[in-house]
Amino acid sequence: VILDIDGYFAPVSGSTLAFYPLPPCRVADTRDPTKPTGLGPPQLFSRTPRAFPVLSSTCIPSGVNPAAYSFNFTVVPGGHSVGYLSVWPTGQNQPVVSTLNDQTGTIVANAAIVPAGTGGEVSVYATDNTQLVIDIDGYFAPAGQGRLSLYEIGRAHV
């Protein structure tokens, strides 16, 4: 087993963003027509980027301005593979990396910390048609009492 570590959580300082945990909550589900505009249908279409207005979700407390989100992304492809799914802050260039890979055509999930983009949105791109579920379990914002900060240390094997 090889374990990679990107950072650690420690007490907040004035130069870091604090992590605010949330109860797990479904931000978006492209299968659910009851979701707020932009967070429900339609599905993701092959090779077509789509922005998700995360701050429109009832999962995000009102009045907060997250700098980044702690998400879980799940593809529900319906029996065909999804080469990869890529996620990035809206308003920035699409990265040439994957957030999730699904060569088997089964339901696959992966966690990711994603910076908030323009208007708090995140953009998503899938190589193939798929349904997408986005769950959140916390966000990063300016420091407040009793929270933890993430200290990036680069990649290291544990």
Side-chain angles (χ1 to χ4, degrees), residues 43-129:
Q43 70 176 2
L44 294 182
F45 294 106
S46 173
R47 304 184 188 282
T48 305
R50 176 175 167 186
F52 285 85
V54 177
L55 295 179
S56 297
S57 168
T58 58
C59 298
I60 308 296
S62 62
V64 300
N65 189 20
Y69 307 100
S70 176
F71 285 131
N72 192 67
F73 295 92
T74 305
V75 292
V76 185
H80 63 274
S81 68
V82 175
Y84 69 89
L85 180 88
S86 188
V87 183
W88 68 96
T90 298
Q92 295 186 15
N93 292 329
Q94 180 180 336
V96 291
V97 298
S98 65
T99 304
L100 178 151
N101 299 286
D102 183 12
Q103 300 301 315
T104 63
T106 58
I107 297 171
V108 173
N110 194 36
I113 294 174
V114 182
T118 305
E121 294 185 356
V122 297
S123 290
V124 178
Y125 169 94
T127 56
D128 302 274
N129 292 347

